[in-house]
Amino acid sequence: MTLLRQQLNAVPFTRPYVWMLAAWILSMISLPIARWTWGDSVIPVSSLIGVIFQFSAVVTILQARWGTRRTLITVIVVGVLTWGIEAIGSKTGVPFGVYSYTDLLQPQLFGVPLLIPLAWMMMLAPSWAVASVIVGRGRTTWQKRAAFIGISALAITAWDLYLDPQMVGWGFWVWAQP
């Protein structure tokens, strides 16, 4: 049985993340079609579905690579920190400026959609992957760690700068002073 399992795991289409990635890609392709067909009212639900599929694929890939315990700890830490930063940021204006979420993304906890930490997690892992490729493998030095952190931060910031105008345009949050 173990040999059969190993052989099945060697076939890419039997890995759960492949199907989750395919579902995520299909959800992203379907968003403009659904929007064209039914209007802007489908954007929140389509966004929710897309984030859940990509988050699930990322977590499944991390679990296969890191194991369940490390992945679970990472998801919890990232979830709590990113939700906390968004909650503090939307109430105080620090560090992002004064903004607030609308009611379009549900459910929310203290005015922050619970989808937001999932979105951060789904993009942090690809940012880490980009940084790993650029920094390279081998002996870890403080310079490599600093480069990894800096490149990861640039990658996630680039994603956020790309995404923010769309999210504001779709009415997911509003700035106090545009």
Side-chain angles (χ1 to χ4, degrees):
M1 192 62 150
T2 305
L3 180 60
L4 177 62
R5 183 174 289 150
Q6 288 173 347
Q7 289 173 339
L8 284 174
N9 283 334
V11 179
F13 294 110
T14 63
R15 296 183 186 153
Y17 67 84
V18 172
W19 295 105
M20 287 181 219
L21 284 172
W24 167 64
I25 290 168
L26 287 174
S27 74
M28 296 306 292
I29 291 170
S30 69
L31 183 126
I33 297 167
R35 187 177 180 201
W36 176 69
T37 304
W38 294 291
D40 287 349
S41 64
V42 301
I43 293 174
V45 172
S46 296
S47 298
L48 173 72
I49 291 167
V51 169
I52 288 172
F53 281 138
Q54 187 178 356
F55 170 82
S56 299
V58 164
V59 169
T60 303
I61 292 166
L62 289 177
Q63 190 275 331
R65 176 96 169 126
W66 291 353
T68 302
R69 185 174 188 275
R70 182 177 174 193
T71 302
L72 185 59
I73 290 168
T74 301
V75 168
I76 290 169
V77 168
V78 167
V80 168
L81 287 176
T82 57
W83 180 87
I85 289 169
E86 293 287 345
I88 291 168
S90 63
K91 301 298 184 255
T92 67
V94 176
F96 309 117
V98 181
Y99 68 101
S100 60
Y101 287 97
T102 67
D103 291 333
L104 288 178
L105 294 177
Q106 294 293 330
Q108 295 185 4
L109 181 61
F110 299 114
V112 176
L114 296 179
L115 185 67
I116 300 302
L118 301 182
W120 280 105
M121 184 68 218
M122 76 177 203
M123 289 310 298
L124 273 173
S127 298
W128 297 333
V130 167
S132 292
V133 168
I134 293 171
V135 171
R137 301 222 181 254
R139 197 172 71 116
T140 302
T141 62
W142 70 268
Q143 292 98 335
K144 275 192 166 187
R145 286 185 182 147
F148 175 85
I149 291 167
I151 293 167
S152 295
L154 285 173
I156 196 89
T157 300
W159 167 73
D160 197 43
L161 290 174
Y162 162 78
L163 193 63
D164 277 353
Q166 291 177 63
M167 301 298 107
V168 170
W170 289 343
F172 290 169
W173 62 80
V174 293
W175 294 103
Q177 296 181 0

